[in-house]
Amino acid sequence: MNLTKIEVFQRWNGLTLREQLLAVVTIIIVLFYGFYSIVVLPLSAEKQNIQRKVIAQQEIYQYLNTLSEEVKDLRNHQQAQTDLTENAVLITRVDASSEQIKIKSAIDKIIPEGDSKLIIWLDVVSFDQLIDWLIELEKNQAISVAKISLLQDEVKAGFVKAKIELSSQNK
């Protein structure tokens, strides 16, 4: 059905005014629908897609921030655990060596000080055994005497009361 311009105009002129108006309105509606389908819908869909991507990126950002805070907390906790472990290891080494030298019963009190220090109170211990123990700590346990305070026992000769500050040489 090939129509020339003249045939189209002849058919158009053959329509009543009401039919011509209806045809014009139909053509306008079809053009608007075509414009809406070809231009507006794809742009709207792309806008929604971009909004979803932005929301997903924001959720990822929030998750990573939360994860970052958890990592910081874990690192801080791990450092605190390491410090506690080093103190526990220091106490264990002191305890084991005091048992070996047989002066553990004279230990009155042990107080951890900081990361690698201990303060120990000894109640009536043989001075010779104390010196042997301190040598053992220095040579074999890498624990040195930072401060020492001795008080001669008035009842037993060769026995002392002591307050000793020990520190680990590993730090």
Side-chain angles (χ1 to χ4, degrees):
M1 174 176 222
N2 288 335
L3 298 176
T4 62
K5 285 183 185 179
I6 297 172
E7 290 175 339
V8 170
F9 283 122
Q10 283 176 351
R11 288 192 178 206
W12 180 258
N13 288 334
L15 298 174
T16 64
L17 184 59
R18 184 175 182 185
E19 291 171 337
Q20 286 178 353
L21 186 61
L22 185 61
V24 168
V25 169
T26 303
I27 290 172
I28 291 173
I29 289 174
V30 168
L31 288 176
F32 275 121
Y33 179 74
F35 177 77
Y36 181 77
S37 297
I38 293 172
V39 176
V40 175
L41 280 179
L43 288 177
S44 176
E46 186 64 25
K47 179 183 173 187
Q48 289 175 349
N49 190 21
I50 289 172
Q51 286 175 337
R52 272 188 249 118
K53 286 181 181 179
V54 167
I55 290 170
Q57 294 266 334
Q58 288 172 340
E59 289 172 355
I60 290 171
Y61 178 75
Q62 289 172 348
Y63 173 73
L64 289 176
N65 278 340
T66 304
L67 198 60
S68 171
E69 291 299 319
E70 287 178 16
V71 166
K72 286 178 187 176
D73 290 344
L74 286 174
R75 283 186 182 155
N76 291 339
H77 179 70
Q78 183 179 13
Q79 182 60 41
Q81 285 295 97
T82 301
D83 293 345
L84 287 175
T85 303
E86 287 173 3
N87 258 344
V89 168
L90 181 62
I91 291 172
T92 304
R93 291 181 359 219
V94 166
D95 186 56
S97 65
S98 70
E99 199 169 310
Q100 180 184 359
I101 304 292
K102 299 190 183 354
I103 64 167
K104 185 173 180 176
S105 60
I107 294 177
D108 187 34
K109 186 174 13 173
I110 298 177
I111 298 177
E113 286 259 324
D115 292 342
S116 61
K117 291 185 180 183
L118 293 176
I119 296 178
I120 301 175
W121 280 268
L122 292 137
D123 189 34
V124 186
V125 64
S126 165
F127 180 76
D128 292 337
Q129 279 184 313
L130 177 62
I131 296 302
D132 289 343
W133 182 53
L134 295 176
I135 291 170
E136 162 69 19
L137 290 174
E138 181 84 30
K139 284 186 176 179
N140 298 328
Q141 303 295 330
I143 299 171
S144 63
V145 176
K147 293 179 185 176
I148 188 166
S149 173
L150 299 174
L151 181 63
Q152 184 177 1
D153 188 49
E154 295 174 4
V155 178
K156 293 182 179 178
F159 283 79
V160 293
K161 293 181 180 182
K163 177 183 175 187
I164 306 169
E165 184 178 311
L166 300 174
S167 64
S168 177
Q169 296 173 358
N170 295 338
K171 279 208 160 194

